[in-house]
Amino acid sequence: MKKVWLLLRVAMVFLFAFVMSLNFVVDKAMATGQFSLSCDKDNIELDGSTISTKCQKSNGDSQQTSIDLNRYIGNHDGKLSWGDKDFSKTCKNTGLAQLLNTRQLILVAECQPADGGNTYYPSELELDAHIVNVDGTLKYE
């Protein structure tokens, strides 16, 4: 009987650790990108390289917030790319669009290649990949 009780206790400890680890994974996944799910994407504005909208806070209220994408997005040889900076210096006709199948927001632009010629190439970048709503504030993650 002691062995059964010990085995049951060990199983419960493993089960508790497993459930807690799932909560950690889900919590992290919810914090990665996907700002458009909890922000007012119908009234989002792009002014230069800054997007502004209202985002939901954890208490249910919403607040106005903005983020300068120039700090996180660059132009890598005619393509918008995460991790670089100052895309607006070498890209023109920037705007926001929404993917039809997922309704996620994308940044669209025409960007100059590295050789600096007069040719501009169309490019797009999914904003939900790295922009997150943290308690009503847009942040890069």
Side-chain angles (χ1 to χ4, degrees):
M1 187 68 177
K2 284 184 178 182
K3 286 184 180 183
V4 171
W5 181 248
L6 180 62
L7 185 59
L8 185 59
R9 286 179 47 186
V10 170
M12 290 301 290
V13 168
F14 279 113
L15 182 61
F16 178 76
F18 176 74
V19 168
M20 292 305 290
S21 70
L22 282 179
N23 188 32
F24 176 74
V25 170
V26 169
D27 216 17
K28 289 293 185 188
M30 291 172 86
T32 304
Q34 307 297 328
F35 82 96
S36 69
L37 296 176
S38 59
C39 296
D40 186 2
K41 62 185 164 202
D42 294 328
N43 293 310
I44 193 166
E45 295 180 17
L46 178 65
D47 182 17
S49 62
T50 301
I51 58 172
S52 301
T53 190
K54 285 188 175 183
C55 291
Q56 189 173 18
K57 296 176 68 172
S58 58
N59 67 3
D61 293 340
S62 62
Q63 71 180 21
Q64 189 68 28
T65 182
S66 62
I67 188 169
D68 184 2
L69 299 175
N70 255 344
R71 296 177 59 201
Y72 312 105
I73 299 174
N75 173 3
H76 184 72
D77 198 22
K79 298 261 187 219
L80 294 169
S81 65
W82 290 108
D84 292 323
K85 292 183 180 186
D86 297 326
F87 75 93
S88 66
K89 291 182 179 178
T90 55
C91 296
K92 63 180 186 176
N93 298 327
T94 58
L96 297 173
Q98 201 171 46
L99 296 174
L100 292 176
N101 57 345
T102 62
R103 299 196 34 87
Q104 292 177 323
L105 290 171
I106 57 172
L107 176 68
V108 294
E110 294 175 359
C111 297
Q112 202 173 28
D115 64 15
N118 289 331
T119 305
Y120 285 79
Y121 297 100
S123 183
E124 61 184 43
L125 193 65
E126 187 179 336
L127 294 176
D128 276 322
H130 288 282
I131 303 298
V132 63
N133 171 14
V134 177
D135 197 27
T137 303
L138 293 175
K139 299 200 181 269
Y140 173 80
E141 185 175 86

